[in-house]
Amino acid sequence: MTATTTTTVTTTSGGHCSKSYRRGGGCGGGVMLIASILVLSVHYGHAQDFGYDGEKGPSHWGEQYNSCTGKHQSPININSLDVKKVNLPPLVFQGFNVAPKETNLTNNGHTVVVTMDSEVTPTVSGGPLAGMYEYSQLHFHWGDNDTFGSEDMIDNHRFPMELHIVFFKQEYKNARTALNHPDGLTVLAFFYEIAPVDNPMYDEFIALLGNVTGSHLSARFETPPSLKDLLAEDLLHYYTYDGSLTTPPCSEVVTWIDFKEPILLSHAQVQAFRALEDEEGHPLTHNFRPVQPLGDRVVLYNTDELIKQVELDEEHPPEPEGVDTNKLDTHKSASEEAKSPKDPSNRKQPRNDAVSILPGTTRWTLLIVALTLISTIVQC
């Protein structure tokens, strides 16, 4: 996650200007002009002075930004067998299906950032969040081939690209002041997988990347997409943990929400991101931070499965639905009867069969006595 906000001024070849430019006094010609933009760090200081290689690479971030050596850093590798399954309250998404009035796409030298001017600012609440969080910006992380590029990993698997949608807690007014609070930001993270065909929802997005190849160039959407247009369908199943910004100053103020279902893009669509250039004019082929130690943190996995709060003992199985246990037949099963000592008083007695209830030895004695009596009678 990169910690930047942007202020943009854009004109297009058709002479169509943004509102902010028209207030400044006109478009200034019919040739496409994508003006330089002012890129502000969310954090006061020189948080833009970093890179992903050499002396500015992630292994050196801690030399200038102390937080980058903290114990609760992001990204991490999420072991799906070592998470705690939970049933969190539903996430509430507001304004996600509303198309903005204006959407700008900017290459800030580290990633491509999307900012929006909308009558309805998207917000998210619920789930692991305490309070309402307001949209700030979204950006991407990718690698130089389709085998890696995401920042967080799932079971040691990297995805080719990852989307971060950054929100700040509304009570803190803006993303900059939110950095001073441990619950200041939340990031909705989505992974990408490669599909055999293009994703049509990203067509204009991918086309605009060709207009912002150079660092600090910006382009504007003709048909701005809503946030919902860019996301996966399943917003119920996700991992969540407490972490940090994944770029300097690495502030540990982020509640991460990593959705399980990936978004599908074609190889050609992901390849378009790799054509961008960094601040030094070099190809921006990879812009992800290596995973950090999990430490003492617990990763939660939100599921729609019923999580049993009390583990049932084998001697007390769950009661059948719709059955009054006070009226259950308490007779033992045949297997239980065979294992338990015989109690003659519990056995059912056959009717009109007095002989059958006598022990075997007694029956033979009576038979001999009867035969003797019959023999005596015959002889008489």
Side-chain angles (χ1 to χ4, degrees):
M1 171 191 158
T2 187
T4 59
T5 56
T6 59
T7 302
T8 63
V9 177
T10 308
T11 62
T12 63
S13 57
H16 184 60
C17 308
S18 68
K19 292 182 180 179
S20 59
Y21 193 87
R22 287 199 297 269
R23 286 197 297 267
C27 285
V31 179
M32 175 178 285
L33 170 64
I34 303 179
S36 297
I37 66 169
L38 176 63
V39 180
L40 301 174
S41 169
V42 168
H43 185 272
Y44 287 103
H46 301 285
Q48 289 298 304
D49 186 22
F50 71 92
Y52 291 93
D53 295 299
E55 296 181 355
K56 293 184 178 182
S59 62
H60 295 278
W61 291 354
E63 298 169 6
Q64 189 173 355
Y65 309 100
N66 293 333
S67 294
C68 294
T69 59
K71 295 183 179 180
H72 294 163
Q73 290 290 289
S74 297
I76 62 171
N77 174 49
I78 297 173
N79 183 348
S80 64
L81 298 179
D82 195 32
V83 299
K84 181 179 180 181
K85 291 186 177 181
V86 293
N87 298 134
L88 294 172
L91 285 169
V92 179
F93 305 94
Q94 296 181 323
F96 274 57
N97 58 349
V98 179
K101 294 184 299 182
E102 185 174 315
T103 299
N104 292 286
L105 183 151
T106 301
N107 175 356
N108 68 3
H110 302 294
T111 184
V112 56
V113 181
V114 175
T115 54
M116 299 179 180
D117 177 15
S118 179
E119 294 179 353
V120 180
T121 302
T123 61
V124 61
S125 59
L129 305 174
M132 186 81 70
Y133 285 74
E134 183 175 319
Y135 176 84
S136 176
Q137 47 100 330
L138 66 82
H139 61 270
F140 303 82
H141 297 270
W142 60 87
D144 59 13
N145 64 64
D146 293 343
T147 64
F148 59 89
S150 67
E151 296 207 297
D152 277 334
M153 301 170 65
I154 306 294
D155 296 328
N156 295 306
H157 171 68
R158 280 197 189 275
F159 299 82
M161 195 164 76
E162 184 174 344
L163 165 64
H164 290 167
I165 310 178
V166 185
F167 294 77
F168 64 87
K169 198 168 186 177
Q170 276 189 338
E171 65 181 87
Y172 303 141
K173 307 304 180 183
N174 57 61
R176 181 175 299 166
T177 58
L179 288 181
N180 299 319
H181 304 272
D183 61 346
L185 302 177
T186 189
V187 177
L188 307 185
F190 292 85
F191 302 109
Y192 291 87
E193 287 282 26
I194 301 301
V197 296
D198 289 349
N199 183 337
M201 303 307 299
Y202 278 75
D203 283 347
E204 184 176 6
F205 197 112
I206 299 303
L208 285 179
L209 290 178
N211 295 334
V212 297
T213 302
S215 176
H216 302 312
L217 295 181
S218 179
R220 189 177 62 188
F221 284 81
E222 289 294 329
T223 307
S226 68
L227 280 182
K228 184 179 179 182
D229 292 336
L230 302 177
L231 309 184
E233 293 289 334
D234 181 4
L235 301 178
L236 173 64
H237 299 89
Y238 58 82
Y239 302 96
T240 180
Y241 71 96
D242 294 331
S244 72
L245 302 176
T246 61
T247 62
C250 308
S251 307
E252 295 180 346
V253 298
V254 183
T255 300
W256 284 90
I257 300 177
D258 292 8
F259 292 91
K260 185 176 181 181
E261 182 184 16
I263 303 168
L264 300 180
L265 293 181
S266 69
H267 167 77
Q269 287 178 312
V270 175
Q271 189 70 15
F273 286 84
R274 301 172 184 140
L276 302 181
E277 297 176 354
D278 62 19
E279 292 183 313
E280 298 177 352
H282 301 140
L284 189 57
T285 56
H286 57 281
N287 60 353
F288 59 90
R289 186 188 191 188
V291 294
Q292 305 297 303
L294 179 63
D296 60 358
R297 289 174 288 179
V298 175
V299 178
L300 305 181
Y301 175 63
N302 189 62
T303 176
D304 54 350
E305 299 175 10
L306 179 62
I307 306 300
K308 297 178 181 178
Q309 301 299 326
V310 179
E311 294 185 0
L312 297 174
D313 189 277
E314 291 182 359
E315 297 180 1
H316 303 282
E319 298 176 358
E321 291 186 7
V323 178
D324 185 350
T325 55
N326 294 323
K327 299 180 181 178
L328 287 177
D329 186 352
T330 57
H331 288 301
K332 295 182 180 180
S333 66
S335 60
E336 292 174 326
E337 188 74 26
K339 293 178 183 177
S340 62
K342 298 290 184 179
D343 183 355
S345 65
N346 285 339
R347 291 182 295 186
K348 294 183 178 180
Q349 308 298 328
R351 296 179 181 177
N352 303 322
D353 193 359
V355 176
S356 67
I357 67 174
L358 297 174
T361 303
T362 303
R363 291 200 299 270
W364 280 111
T365 302
L366 290 175
L367 181 59
I368 292 172
V369 171
L371 290 174
T372 302
L373 290 174
I374 293 173
S375 176
T376 302
I377 294 171
V378 171
Q379 289 177 359
C380 293

